[in-house]
Amino acid sequence: MSGPLVRIRPKRARPFFARHPWVLASSIAGLEHDPRPGDEVRVTSAEGVFIARGLFNPESRIPVRLYRWEDTPLDAEFWRSRILDALSLRRDLLGSYKPSEACRLIYSEADGLSGLVVDAYDRWLIAQFGSRALWGRRDQIGPFLRELADAEGVILRFDSAMSRSEGVSPSPLPEILGDVPDSPVRFFEDGLEFAVNLGSHQKTGFYLDQRENRRAAAQYAAGRDVLDLYTYTGAFALHAARQGAKSVLAVDSSGPAIEHARLNAQRNGITGVTFLEDDVFRSLQRLRDTGQRFGLVICDPPKFAPSQRDVDRALGAYLRLQRGAIDVLAPGGILVTCSCSGHVDRMSLQGVLAQAGELCGRHVQILEVRSQSADHPISAACPETEYLKCLIAHLP
C-alpha cells in the first residue's frame, strides 16, 4: 500500500504492537514517500509488518502519535467513533457526564486520542490540543464534540506549554463553536456549587481529577480542625466544611484563587472556612511556631516536577512540604498528600512520606492509596497516563 510510511528500528516495535501511542525519534529507522507535518502515516516494523496508523510531526518530541491499529484510514468517521466511545464511557458506565455537573470527557492517550483533552462544564466544553497534527483536524473534531455531547458551545485551544515543542505559533487564540457565556459557568460536584470562567483559569478550569479524592478526604473531616494547603478554588476545603469539620483554614499564594475560593464558599452558604493568601511554606512555619495543630491536613501542591530532570528537586520539595505538614498535625491526625507530577512515581512519594515521618519522629500508617478520578482512566499500554497520586495516612 502506497502513501507516507514510518519504519521502526529492529527490536523497537514491541511497545507499538502493544498499543503504546508514542513513537519517539530514537525508534524510527526511516521514512518513505516523504511524509509532511500533519500527514497520516502507516507505521511498520523493520521487517515491513504493519503496526498502526498515526499522525506525523517531525518537529515534535513525539514525531508519530498512533491512533489506529487496523490498516484503514484516519477518516472523519474514525474521529467521530473515538469521541463517541469516550463520551459513552462517561455517560453510560461511569455516570459522570450529567447536565449541571463537570467531568473529563476525553483524556488523551487513555481514550485513544493522543494530544486531546476535553473537559465538560455543564453544557459547555473546553478542548485543549497538545498535538499539531490533531490541531490541524479541529475542523472535524470540534463539530463532532459539539454534536455528540449536545453542547451549547465548545472552546478549542492549543496548549501553550506544548506550542514550541509541537512547532505551533505561540499562544494561538482559542476558537469558539456555538455560544460560550462571558460570565462564569456554574456546576455542581456532590451537591456543592462551583463556578469557572472558561477562558481564564489554569488547565481547563478546575481540578476534576481530584473529585473522588476530595470525597474520600472529607470523610475524615468531621469534628476536626482542617488545614487545606494549595486550596486553589477551595474544593477540598468546602467538602471538608460540609462534612462537619470543626474549622477549616485554606491557604494559597494566589490572590485571585483565594478570592475565587471565597466566592465558592459564599455560593454554598459555607461560613466555617478561613481563606488565607500566603506562601504555603511560610504559613506552615508560622503555624508550627505558634503551636497550632490540626486533625486533618491536606496537601495538594502544583506540579513540582514538570520534567524528568526536575525529579530530585521535586522530591526535596515534597519532603519539605510533608515535614511541615506533619509538624502541625495533631496526634491521631490524618494527612492527605498528593502529587500531580507524572515523573514522580507512587513509591517515590511514599518513600518521601516515610522519610518525613522518620525526621519528625512520627509513625505513618497509610490508610488509602488513591489515584485520579475514573473519568481520567489509565491506559494499561501507556503508563504515562497515570500521574496523580494521593496517599491518606494516619499518624498516631
Side-chain angles (χ1 to χ4, degrees):
M1 187 177 293
S2 61
L5 184 143
V6 175
R7 196 177 299 278
I8 301 299
R9 291 182 184 275
K11 301 181 180 180
R12 295 288 187 92
R14 183 174 180 180
F16 312 122
F17 279 118
R19 301 199 171 210
H20 195 292
W22 299 345
V23 180
L24 305 184
S26 58
S27 294
I28 296 175
L31 310 174
E32 298 180 15
H33 307 294
D34 194 25
R36 301 292 185 182
D39 277 355
E40 179 180 337
V41 293
R42 297 176 70 248
V43 178
T44 72
S45 69
E47 297 77 21
V49 178
F50 172 79
I51 300 174
R53 285 185 177 243
L55 298 180
F56 181 68
N57 180 8
E59 298 183 47
S60 173
R61 68 178 184 86
I62 307 172
V64 182
R65 295 175 186 262
L66 303 179
Y67 296 96
R68 190 169 202 166
W69 278 260
E70 304 83 25
D71 198 5
T72 49
L74 302 177
D75 54 15
E77 184 54 35
F78 169 77
W79 302 117
R80 188 179 193 279
S81 67
R82 277 291 165 86
I83 293 168
L84 184 60
D85 287 346
L87 181 61
S88 296
L89 171 65
R90 277 72 176 180
R91 183 163 50 198
D92 302 335
L93 183 62
L94 302 178
S96 58
Y97 182 46
K98 301 175 183 176
S100 80
E101 295 188 1
C103 79
R104 177 147 293 180
L105 284 186
I106 294 174
Y107 176 38
S108 198
E109 291 79 15
D111 286 302
L113 288 165
S114 179
L116 177 64
V117 170
V118 180
D119 287 343
Y121 296 93
D122 192 7
R123 302 181 305 280
W124 291 273
L125 309 182
I126 298 180
Q128 183 161 280
F129 291 76
S131 158
R132 172 183 175 179
L134 211 58
W135 177 247
R137 287 160 173 78
R138 64 193 181 279
D139 289 345
Q140 289 182 339
I141 292 171
F144 286 148
L145 287 171
R146 189 180 179 198
E147 170 205 347
L148 296 173
D150 193 24
E152 290 194 19
V154 182
I155 297 174
L156 303 122
R157 68 189 189 197
F158 199 87
D159 184 352
S160 59
M162 297 291 292
S163 58
R164 174 179 288 185
S165 63
E166 285 289 312
V168 174
S169 298
S171 302
L173 293 175
E175 299 178 11
I176 297 176
L177 301 178
D179 298 317
V180 175
D182 295 327
S183 58
V185 169
R186 297 187 177 192
F187 64 94
F188 290 87
E189 179 181 281
D190 289 344
L192 286 171
E193 182 178 324
F194 297 93
V196 295
N197 185 325
L198 297 182
S200 68
H201 282 274
Q202 299 175 35
K203 296 177 66 177
T204 54
F206 192 77
Y207 291 102
L208 299 171
D209 51 5
Q210 289 279 28
R211 179 194 305 109
E212 292 162 24
N213 296 330
R214 287 189 279 266
R215 187 181 302 149
Q219 298 307 307
Y220 299 93
R224 297 177 185 265
D225 293 309
V226 177
L227 175 62
D228 178 24
L229 303 171
Y230 304 98
T231 193
Y232 187 42
T233 55
F236 270 108
L238 298 190
H239 277 273
R242 188 186 60 172
Q243 202 66 25
K246 186 188 301 183
S247 70
V248 182
L249 175 61
V251 183
D252 200 287
S253 63
S254 167
I258 286 292
E259 180 57 29
H260 195 64
R262 285 197 184 100
L263 291 173
N264 282 332
Q266 291 171 15
R267 282 187 187 92
N268 291 280
I270 292 176
T271 58
V273 182
T274 300
F275 294 100
L276 175 64
E277 180 186 345
D278 194 12
D279 174 79
V280 163
F281 290 103
R282 182 169 58 237
S283 190
L284 282 170
Q285 180 72 43
R286 185 164 50 249
L287 291 168
R288 188 190 71 176
D289 292 347
T290 56
Q292 295 188 60
R293 297 295 180 264
F294 300 85
L296 171 62
V297 179
I298 301 166
C299 305
D300 182 24
K303 187 183 294 186
F304 282 168
S307 68
Q308 187 63 42
R309 65 177 177 270
D310 299 313
V311 168
D312 288 344
R313 178 187 58 79
L315 292 175
Y318 286 123
L319 177 60
R320 184 183 169 205
L321 175 62
Q322 290 176 8
R323 286 189 67 182
I326 292 172
D327 279 341
V328 299
L329 187 69
I334 299 293
L335 173 64
V336 179
T337 186
C338 306
S339 168
C340 62
S341 300
H343 296 285
V344 175
D345 61 35
R346 188 180 309 281
M347 290 308 297
S348 296
L349 184 66
Q350 185 172 323
V352 167
L353 179 56
Q355 186 181 1
E358 177 187 358
L359 293 170
C360 295
R362 302 280 293 275
H363 179 49
V364 179
Q365 299 172 305
I366 296 177
L367 306 180
E368 299 186 43
V369 178
R370 307 183 60 84
S371 185
Q372 59 241 40
S373 56
D375 54 351
H376 297 61
I378 298 163
S379 168
C382 185
E384 293 87 349
T385 53
E386 182 179 15
Y387 66 95
L388 182 61
K389 285 76 59 180
C390 176
L391 304 177
I392 301 181
H394 172 248
L395 282 78

